[in-house]
Amino acid sequence: MPGLRWRGTHPDLGASSLELAILGPAVIALTFISVQFALWYHAKNVAQSAVEAGARAARAYQATDGDGVKAAQDVFANLGGPNVTAGGVSITPGRDATTVTMRLDATSITLLPGMQLPIHVTAGGAIEQFVPPPGA
């Protein structure tokens, strides 16, 4: 009917403001957590590439642990590792009679206070050795 207006209260007045006040911070927090996880994942991939390169260099015929550590440090720096890690980075070689390992320990940079995500990666393999042919 023309001319009739709805008279009564509007029970939904302000509902969208309240929803925004409740859900807004939660959406922002989830966004920051997602970005934080992405930074940690990228830092872990950079660290993994560095220790793999270090282990590869240390495994080479007559190579030393120092060669492996230097290679790991170079790859870590070239891939931007210092930009995605906080504090010190520890690269530790390990060697026995037949195998070599490289371990990198660091902490990812953080966007959220108190959210320190550690990075621990290891790579290794058999040491290349000259083996004379049988009967030589």
Side-chain angles (χ1 to χ4, degrees):
M1 295 184 175
L4 285 178
R5 292 185 173 196
W6 185 71
R7 295 179 194 204
T9 61
H10 295 281
D12 291 337
L13 280 178
S16 59
S17 299
L18 182 61
E19 290 170 0
L20 182 61
I22 292 172
L23 293 178
V27 169
I28 291 170
L30 285 174
T31 302
F32 273 97
I33 290 170
S34 299
V35 171
Q36 178 67 54
F37 178 74
L39 284 170
W40 170 80
Y41 189 75
H42 175 64
K44 188 170 180 175
N45 284 335
V46 167
Q48 187 67 44
S49 295
V51 295
E52 287 173 0
R56 210 171 19 255
R59 288 179 52 221
Y61 183 65
Q62 295 184 338
T64 65
D65 287 344
D67 296 331
V69 170
K70 181 167 179 359
Q73 289 171 338
D74 290 346
V75 169
F76 189 74
N78 288 337
L79 293 178
N83 298 328
V84 292
T85 56
V89 174
S90 168
I91 300 175
T92 310
R95 181 181 291 260
D96 63 21
T98 59
T99 60
V100 66
T101 59
M102 286 284 159
R103 178 178 172 92
L104 188 144
D105 297 304
T107 304
S108 175
I109 59 172
T110 182
L111 293 176
L112 303 171
M115 192 171 188
Q116 299 290 327
L117 298 175
I119 299 167
H120 306 292
V121 292
T122 304
I127 297 172
E128 295 177 4
Q129 300 176 17
F130 176 73
V131 178

